Amino acid sequence: MDAIDRAIILATQQGLPLVAQPYHAVAKQIGIRPDEVMARMRAMLDDGVIRRIGAVPNHYALGFKANGMTVWDVADERINELGELIGQLEFVSHCYQRPRHPPDWHYNLFAMVHGHDRSETEQKAAQIALLLGESCHAHEILYSTRILKKTGLRISA
């Protein structure tokens, strides 16, 4: 990583500017061309220096007030297949595997579901249950009670 890459990271670590051409704004701020900003960000993604470029919506501000982490006890030998299936649902924002912690925690598949109210979230969880079928032994919905600050690693100037 050179000084220009570092400048790009410093300029974008709080998020891309909310303007029509965010890469142009970053380029102007650090004194390079927009195509160079985009090329360097792509290279940093490819090299693993940065993990992703993506939107992080505030679901509460969008009206989704009943956000629930659905947790599922599914057959270990099918977790990849089932996780892929559930992760493709339009109402699931993220889906991943986590280790079980028996005897108290038997869940190994997690899927975040967003709903305007608990009834909607429960209906979506029921759709997941239907897809999982007999591979699912149990599930719960853990509802969000507050918004956690979503930030990654920050570097200083």
Side-chain angles (χ1 to χ4, degrees), residues 5 9 17-18 22 43 46 49 67 80 84-85 91-92 98 105-106 121-122 146-147 149 155:
D5 288 343
I9 290 171
L18 297 177
D46 292 345
V49 173
N67 305 303
N80 290 335
E84 288 283 332
L85 182 69
F91 56 81
V92 172
R98 287 285 188 252
W105 192 256
H106 296 280
T121 302
E122 289 164 5
R146 60 189 170 110
I147 299 174
K149 185 178 178 183
I155 62 172

Side-chain angles (χ1 to χ4, degrees), residues 11-12 15-35 37-38:
T12 60
L16 287 169
L18 297 177
V19 296
Q21 295 181 308
Y23 297 104
H24 287 70
V26 172
K28 183 176 181 180
Q29 179 182 339
I30 63 176
I32 63 173
R33 296 180 327 277
D35 62 321
V37 170
M38 290 183 270

Side-chain angles (χ1 to χ4, degrees), residues 14-91:
Q14 297 295 328
L16 287 169
L18 297 177
V19 296
Q21 295 181 308
Y23 297 104
H24 287 70
V26 172
K28 183 176 181 180
Q29 179 182 339
I30 63 176
I32 63 173
R33 296 180 327 277
D35 62 321
E36 186 175 356
V37 170
M38 290 183 270
R40 284 176 170 268
M41 290 186 81
R42 168 57 51 203
M44 286 189 277
L45 275 170
D46 292 345
D47 294 341
V49 173
I50 56 178
R51 284 194 208 156
R52 69 181 182 89
I53 300 169
V56 180
N58 179 333
H59 294 96
Y60 289 88
L62 296 172
F64 294 93
K65 309 259 188 233
N67 305 303
M69 180 60 74
T70 61
V71 294
W72 307 87
D73 176 4
V74 301
D76 289 322
E77 62 275 2
R78 295 194 61 208
I79 191 133
N80 290 335
E81 168 198 351
L82 297 171
E84 288 283 332
L85 182 69
I86 301 311
Q88 292 176 14
L89 295 170
E90 59 89 23
F91 56 81

